[in-house]
Amino acid sequence: SCIFSVGDGDWRLPGIWFLPHGSRMHIRAGKHGEDAGCDLEQGLPWDEDSRVVIRVDETGLLETTINEVKVCEAMVPLRPNLAGESLDVWAVSSGNIPAPALISNMTYRSYRL
């Protein structure tokens, strides 16, 4: 189920989902249809808060940490962000079963080129 996705219809900057039937995260960035990103090997613990940080830097390095421990990194294609440009943000996607999770204290910052 979709947790969060930022994009413009062609790009995900990034898109984050839980894989079905669990708490493993599926993280993608780049053009839709490309498979650039990370599938975490371990799921988030149930009934515990976790601090998840997903960062895509100006070189295209996508890095994911959970509770200050790096769990994944991958190179992803970059889409230049134009100053003042609007992007769509989704916190749900149709056709997906909602995950039994709570998101709090969420911050999104765009990289600068």
Side-chain angles (χ1 to χ4, degrees):
S1 51
C2 183
I3 299 171
F4 176 77
S5 186
V6 175
D8 66 358
D10 290 326
W11 287 82
R12 291 181 288 231
L13 308 168
I16 308 158
W17 296 263
F18 281 122
L19 292 170
H21 313 295
S23 62
R24 284 183 47 216
M25 296 174 76
H26 173 77
I27 304 161
R28 292 293 179 268
K31 282 186 100 43
H32 286 283
E34 294 178 355
D35 195 33
C38 295
D39 288 333
L40 303 188
E41 292 185 19
Q42 298 292 322
L44 298 175
W46 296 105
D47 299 322
E48 288 181 30
D49 289 348
S50 296
R51 177 172 163 70
V52 178
V53 176
I54 299 165
R55 181 174 184 264
V56 179
D57 72 13
E58 64 279 351
T59 69
L61 177 65
L62 181 148
E63 186 175 86
T64 303
T65 61
I66 298 176
N67 298 325
E68 311 300 329
V69 175
K70 186 188 311 183
V71 295
C72 179
E73 68 178 27
M75 293 302 294
V76 297
L78 290 176
R79 176 197 179 276
N81 284 349
L82 304 174
E85 179 182 6
S86 306
L87 296 172
D88 294 326
V89 177
W90 297 272
V92 67
S93 60
S94 63
N96 290 319
I97 299 169
L102 176 66
I103 299 170
S104 62
N105 300 320
M106 182 173 176
T107 303
Y108 177 79
R109 293 184 189 102
S110 179
Y111 63 82
R112 298 189 200 290
L113 290 181

